[in-house]
Amino acid sequence: MFITFFTELKSAGVPVSLREYLTLMEALDKDLAERSVEDFYYLARLSLVKDEGNLDKFDRVFSHVFKGLDLMSDVPTTDIPEEWLRKLAEKHLSEEEKAQIEALGGFEKLMETLRERLKEQQKRHQGGNKWIGTAGTSPFGAYGYNPEGVRIGQHESRHRRAVKVWDKREFKDLDDTQLLGTRNIQVALKRLRNFARTGAAEELDLDNTIRSTAHKGLLDIKMRAERHNAVKVLLFFDIGGSMDDHIRVCEELFSAARSEFKVMEHFYFHNCLYEYVWKENHRRHTERIPTMDVLHKYPADYKIIFVGDASMSPYEIAYRGGSVEHWNEEAGETWMKRITVLYKSAIWLNPVREEHWRYTHSINMLNELMDGRMFPMTVEGLTDAMKELAR
């Protein structure tokens, strides 16, 4: 098993050496991981990864090689209510059964009911339609179904209907070394060009060299600064949740943008823009960047590109406290308006097929906040988006 892990890492392009592998084996022999999957993950990452740029590759290989290993360590270690939510069974409902389950009736009512249930419930519950538990139709808990609920204690989204999520989730940084399957994205991005010569004189100016040499009667070499695309771009990526379906196309866009724009900064957010963003997903809980600092640091001549499926609960856009991961003091639409007021050149790229947009209320809400400047991530959509930014 460990040999397979080692060879898979090398195949994925992670530069692991035999010495690092033997160090990991020595650490395991001394029981440093203490038979914990999570501790083993961090021990292996510490032993085998030397460059943060390879963390995403490591995570993908680890997930592939040790898939299902977490089930071996599903042993409660504390008496906190999370143990109530441990997955014991998967409940499958037909479409007819799902249609019969009614939502509670709005965000405020949902949160008010949750507070009441937290006060009343005293033990673990499974399979019901009221209490916080597992495998049921209650609006609160994990591994069940409700069209409008609060997900608590579940590893990942299944039906993608949760209004709020009370779990610490780890998202992956996009890999900017992802090889493009086609050059179409780069060709589209080239339309957003504004060349200027800046910096040191490092390029031969042939015309001036010939002219000066002819004038002086001896070789007079002239240099000039290299031409660069002077467009400045802020790139905001929605990451995690339903965006997991679109990682590949986002990585292709990220790779193309890094090669095309000399001045580019990227940030991550989840679902909708709120009071902070982050640069590295594995540090997003500890190294957050206030969104207001971003607005103050980068002047209004920057081009803004949002990348996301815009698929979420409408509460996340329109309500204070609507974010699925934290209590936001201001609604997402407030932050979106600040962006569009300050930066006149701003667009939203959506990987969801355009013909499906009308079926998702949140997509229409964000498209309206962007003044109709939402474009599909197709060749034609990217071309139209770049034309809009170049205006």
Side-chain angles (χ1 to χ4, degrees), residues 166-298:
W166 281 13
D167 293 305
K168 181 178 178 181
R169 300 159 70 193
E170 299 297 337
F171 301 147
K172 301 293 189 297
D173 292 343
L174 296 180
D175 185 354
D176 64 344
T177 64
Q178 175 69 35
L179 295 177
L180 295 177
T182 119
R183 288 181 53 83
N184 288 338
I185 295 179
Q186 284 182 302
V187 170
L189 293 181
K190 289 182 185 297
R191 295 180 179 272
L192 186 60
R193 283 181 166 183
N194 181 14
F195 284 115
R197 296 191 183 277
T198 57
E202 298 176 344
E203 182 181 84
L204 175 65
D205 186 346
L206 184 59
D207 291 340
N208 280 337
T209 297
I210 294 174
R211 186 180 302 109
S212 180
T213 298
H215 178 74
K216 294 182 177 180
L218 51 89
L219 180 62
D220 185 16
I221 296 177
K222 297 292 184 181
M223 306 294 290
R224 62 184 178 184
E226 185 180 355
R227 292 175 75 235
H228 295 290
N229 189 351
V231 170
K232 296 178 288 186
V233 175
L234 290 182
L235 200 54
F236 292 89
F237 281 102
D238 180 8
I239 200 78
S242 57
M243 281 300 292
D244 289 346
D245 297 341
H246 310 291
I247 286 179
R248 176 60 185 270
V249 69
C250 288
E251 287 184 333
E252 291 179 355
L253 175 66
F254 192 26
S255 293
R258 284 183 70 98
S259 64
E260 188 61 34
F261 303 123
K262 180 176 176 62
V263 181
M264 187 195 84
E265 291 288 345
H266 76 280
F267 301 95
Y268 295 110
F269 67 100
H270 183 53
N271 283 355
C272 190
L273 190 68
Y274 296 113
E275 63 271 19
Y276 61 81
V277 292
W278 56 92
K279 297 282 288 184
E280 297 179 69
N281 282 299
H282 69 286
R283 295 178 177 172
R284 70 189 186 95
H285 297 290
T286 57
E287 297 185 9
R288 298 169 176 174
I289 303 170
T291 306
M292 193 59 73
D293 288 357
V294 176
L295 303 187
H296 289 158
K297 180 176 180 179
Y298 300 98

